[in-house]
Amino acid sequence: EAVAADCENPGNSEYWICSGCGKFFSDAAGTAEITENSWVIPALKHDYGEWVVTIPATETEAGEETRTCKHDPSHIETRPISPTGHVETFVERAYRVILNRSGDPEGIAHWDALLASGTSAGEIIAEFFRSDEFRARSLTSEQTVTLCYEAMMDRLPEPEGLANWTAVLDDGYSTTKLVAEFVESDEFQELCDAFGLTAGTIALPARDENSNITRFVLRCYEFALRREADEAGLNEFCEKLLNKTATPEEVAFMFVFSDEAHALWNGNSTFMTMLYRLMLDREPDLGGLENWVAALDAAEDASSKDEGRQQVFQLFAESDEFALMIANFGF
């Protein structure tokens, strides 16, 4: 049955499974075959409105402001407002704006010590945006850009800037790319001057050097491993491609025949469907899929099956379709 997606959970369109052959269809008559997981509707993710003061701060007491999700009015975020008599520090402000909470004493002391030892304000902001706690908020690209403006320019973004930087994140760049660009702005310099801090510069990780390379590696994670990329692995594979110590074909091979992928693709049909999507950037045609699966099914033992899959991978890597796809990525 169909299940609607909400802000936190994916949904699905209705579909049917044949009890005889196990194939999937979008109709009860079994005439329109679909691929596995094509029925998934991604979670909407929270889309918040503007912050509204609900409890004004006094000179000695903290206040509170809230914002409501446009998709789900029952989901409301709150964050503190410092007492008007309290001079908020740079680190306290970072906690409030970026992590949406008051800073804990231990955390504040840690970041203050780094600032005192010469770490720049820009580097502190970059670390806040890279933190597991920030990622756990699961904000949209647009929301992340808005927070970056608030944290580094002390204002909301103008429509053109919001659209441009949202596109940058959607193109595969990380928040570090945004922070590195915003650190150069006059507005961030003015903010740092107000706190008596140095804006600094931000060194970009490999994933932020070339968006085409990053998008290629991200699709390897998506199709071969069925998950989002971990930061360390993403930078490692991007660096291989940037430094030309591995070709796109070799990187794709590392993903497809990794131990993690081995645990996912037990059936030859699902393996071939994945290979079509990863290597040819399309869904398999029914006749081609059946032929490849039949060839792989003919293998008698696990070792020859793996060898057969590697041979099929090599044929796909030598195809005109794969060559066109990686050319479109700029390789």
Side-chain angles (χ1 to χ4, degrees), residues 104-125:
D104 54 283
E106 183 179 352
I108 291 174
H110 166 75
W111 295 114
D112 282 343
L114 287 178
L115 285 171
S117 67
T119 302
S120 70
E123 290 172 304
I124 297 296
I125 293 294

Short mmCIF file of all heavy atoms in Angstrom, two decimals, residues 104-125:
data_model
loop_
_atom_site.label_atom_id
_atom_site.label_comp_id
_atom_site.label_asym_id
_atom_site.label_seq_id
_atom_site.Cartn_x
_atom_site.Cartn_y
_atom_site.Cartn_z
N ASP A 104 27.37 24.09 26.46
CA ASP A 104 27.70 23.50 27.75
C ASP A 104 29.05 24.07 28.22
O ASP A 104 29.90 24.41 27.38
CB ASP A 104 27.78 21.98 27.64
CG ASP A 104 28.74 21.54 26.54
OD1 ASP A 104 28.35 21.61 25.36
OD2 ASP A 104 29.88 21.15 26.86
N PRO A 105 29.27 24.19 29.51
CA PRO A 105 30.50 24.80 30.02
C PRO A 105 31.77 24.15 29.49
O PRO A 105 32.73 24.84 29.14
CB PRO A 105 30.38 24.63 31.54
CG PRO A 105 28.89 24.58 31.79
CD PRO A 105 28.32 23.86 30.61
N GLU A 106 31.77 22.82 29.42
CA GLU A 106 32.97 22.12 28.95
C GLU A 106 33.25 22.46 27.48
O GLU A 106 34.40 22.72 27.09
CB GLU A 106 32.79 20.61 29.11
CG GLU A 106 34.01 19.81 28.71
CD GLU A 106 33.83 18.31 28.91
OE1 GLU A 106 32.79 17.92 29.50
OE2 GLU A 106 34.70 17.54 28.49
N GLY A 107 32.19 22.46 26.66
CA GLY A 107 32.36 22.78 25.25
C GLY A 107 32.81 24.21 25.03
O GLY A 107 33.70 24.48 24.22
N ILE A 108 32.22 25.14 25.76
CA ILE A 108 32.60 26.55 25.64
C ILE A 108 34.07 26.73 26.02
O ILE A 108 34.82 27.44 25.34
CB ILE A 108 31.69 27.43 26.51
CG1 ILE A 108 30.26 27.44 25.93
CG2 ILE A 108 32.24 28.86 26.61
CD1 ILE A 108 29.26 28.16 26.80
N ALA A 109 34.48 26.07 27.10
CA ALA A 109 35.87 26.18 27.54
C ALA A 109 36.82 25.63 26.49
O ALA A 109 37.90 26.18 26.24
CB ALA A 109 36.06 25.44 28.86
N HIS A 110 36.43 24.53 25.84
CA HIS A 110 37.26 23.91 24.80
C HIS A 110 37.48 24.86 23.63
O HIS A 110 38.63 25.09 23.20
CB HIS A 110 36.60 22.62 24.31
CG HIS A 110 37.18 22.07 23.04
ND1 HIS A 110 38.40 21.42 23.01
CD2 HIS A 110 36.71 22.08 21.76
CE1 HIS A 110 38.65 21.05 21.76
NE2 HIS A 110 37.65 21.44 20.99
N TRP A 111 36.40 25.44 23.12
CA TRP A 111 36.52 26.32 21.96
C TRP A 111 37.20 27.64 22.32
O TRP A 111 37.98 28.18 21.53
CB TRP A 111 35.13 26.58 21.36
CG TRP A 111 34.49 25.34 20.79
CD1 TRP A 111 33.37 24.73 21.25
CD2 TRP A 111 34.94 24.57 19.68
NE1 TRP A 111 33.09 23.61 20.50
CE2 TRP A 111 34.03 23.49 19.52
CE3 TRP A 111 36.01 24.68 18.80
CZ2 TRP A 111 34.17 22.53 18.53
CZ3 TRP A 111 36.15 23.72 17.80
CH2 TRP A 111 35.24 22.67 17.67
N ASP A 112 36.92 28.15 23.51
CA ASP A 112 37.59 29.38 23.95
C ASP A 112 39.10 29.17 24.05
O ASP A 112 39.89 30.06 23.71
CB ASP A 112 37.03 29.84 25.30
CG ASP A 112 35.68 30.54 25.17
OD1 ASP A 112 35.34 30.94 24.04
OD2 ASP A 112 34.98 30.68 26.19
N ALA A 113 39.50 27.99 24.52
CA ALA A 113 40.93 27.70 24.63
C ALA A 113 41.59 27.66 23.25
O ALA A 113 42.72 28.11 23.07
CB ALA A 113 41.14 26.37 25.36
N LEU A 114 40.86 27.10 22.25
CA LEU A 114 41.39 27.07 20.89
C LEU A 114 41.55 28.48 20.33
O LEU A 114 42.56 28.80 19.69
CB LEU A 114 40.48 26.24 19.98
CG LEU A 114 40.51 24.72 20.19
CD1 LEU A 114 39.52 24.04 19.25
CD2 LEU A 114 41.92 24.17 19.92
N LEU A 115 40.56 29.32 20.57
CA LEU A 115 40.66 30.71 20.11
C LEU A 115 41.84 31.41 20.77
O LEU A 115 42.58 32.15 20.12
CB LEU A 115 39.36 31.46 20.42
CG LEU A 115 38.16 31.15 19.51
CD1 LEU A 115 36.89 31.81 20.06
CD2 LEU A 115 38.41 31.62 18.09
N ALA A 116 42.02 31.16 22.06
CA ALA A 116 43.12 31.80 22.80
C ALA A 116 44.48 31.33 22.30
O ALA A 116 45.48 32.06 22.38
CB ALA A 116 42.98 31.52 24.29
N SER A 117 44.53 30.09 21.76
CA SER A 117 45.81 29.54 21.30
C SER A 117 46.12 29.91 19.86
O SER A 117 47.14 29.50 19.31
CB SER A 117 45.80 28.02 21.45
OG SER A 117 44.86 27.43 20.57
N GLY A 118 45.21 30.66 19.20
CA GLY A 118 45.49 31.13 17.85
C GLY A 118 44.60 30.57 16.76
O GLY A 118 44.74 30.95 15.59
N THR A 119 43.70 29.65 17.09
CA THR A 119 42.76 29.16 16.09
C THR A 119 41.86 30.30 15.65
O THR A 119 41.36 31.05 16.48
CB THR A 119 41.91 28.01 16.67
OG1 THR A 119 42.76 26.96 17.11
CG2 THR A 119 40.95 27.46 15.61
N SER A 120 41.64 30.44 14.35
CA SER A 120 40.86 31.57 13.85
C SER A 120 39.36 31.35 14.05
O SER A 120 38.89 30.22 14.23
CB SER A 120 41.14 31.79 12.36
OG SER A 120 40.59 30.74 11.59
N ALA A 121 38.62 32.46 13.99
CA ALA A 121 37.17 32.39 14.12
C ALA A 121 36.56 31.57 12.99
O ALA A 121 35.61 30.80 13.19
CB ALA A 121 36.58 33.79 14.13
N GLY A 122 37.12 31.70 11.78
CA GLY A 122 36.61 30.94 10.65
C GLY A 122 36.77 29.44 10.85
O GLY A 122 35.88 28.66 10.51
N GLU A 123 37.89 29.03 11.40
CA GLU A 123 38.13 27.60 11.65
C GLU A 123 37.15 27.05 12.70
O GLU A 123 36.69 25.91 12.59
CB GLU A 123 39.57 27.39 12.11
CG GLU A 123 40.60 27.62 11.01
CD GLU A 123 42.02 27.59 11.53
OE1 GLU A 123 42.35 28.37 12.46
OE2 GLU A 123 42.81 26.79 11.01
N ILE A 124 36.83 27.86 13.69
CA ILE A 124 35.86 27.44 14.71
C ILE A 124 34.49 27.23 14.07
O ILE A 124 33.81 26.22 14.30
CB ILE A 124 35.76 28.48 15.84
CG1 ILE A 124 37.08 28.60 16.58
CG2 ILE A 124 34.62 28.12 16.80
CD1 ILE A 124 37.53 27.35 17.31
N ILE A 125 34.06 28.19 13.23
CA ILE A 125 32.78 28.07 12.55
C ILE A 125 32.76 26.82 11.66
O ILE A 125 31.78 26.07 11.63
CB ILE A 125 32.49 29.33 11.70
CG1 ILE A 125 32.27 30.55 12.60
CG2 ILE A 125 31.26 29.11 10.81
CD1 ILE A 125 31.04 30.50 13.46
#
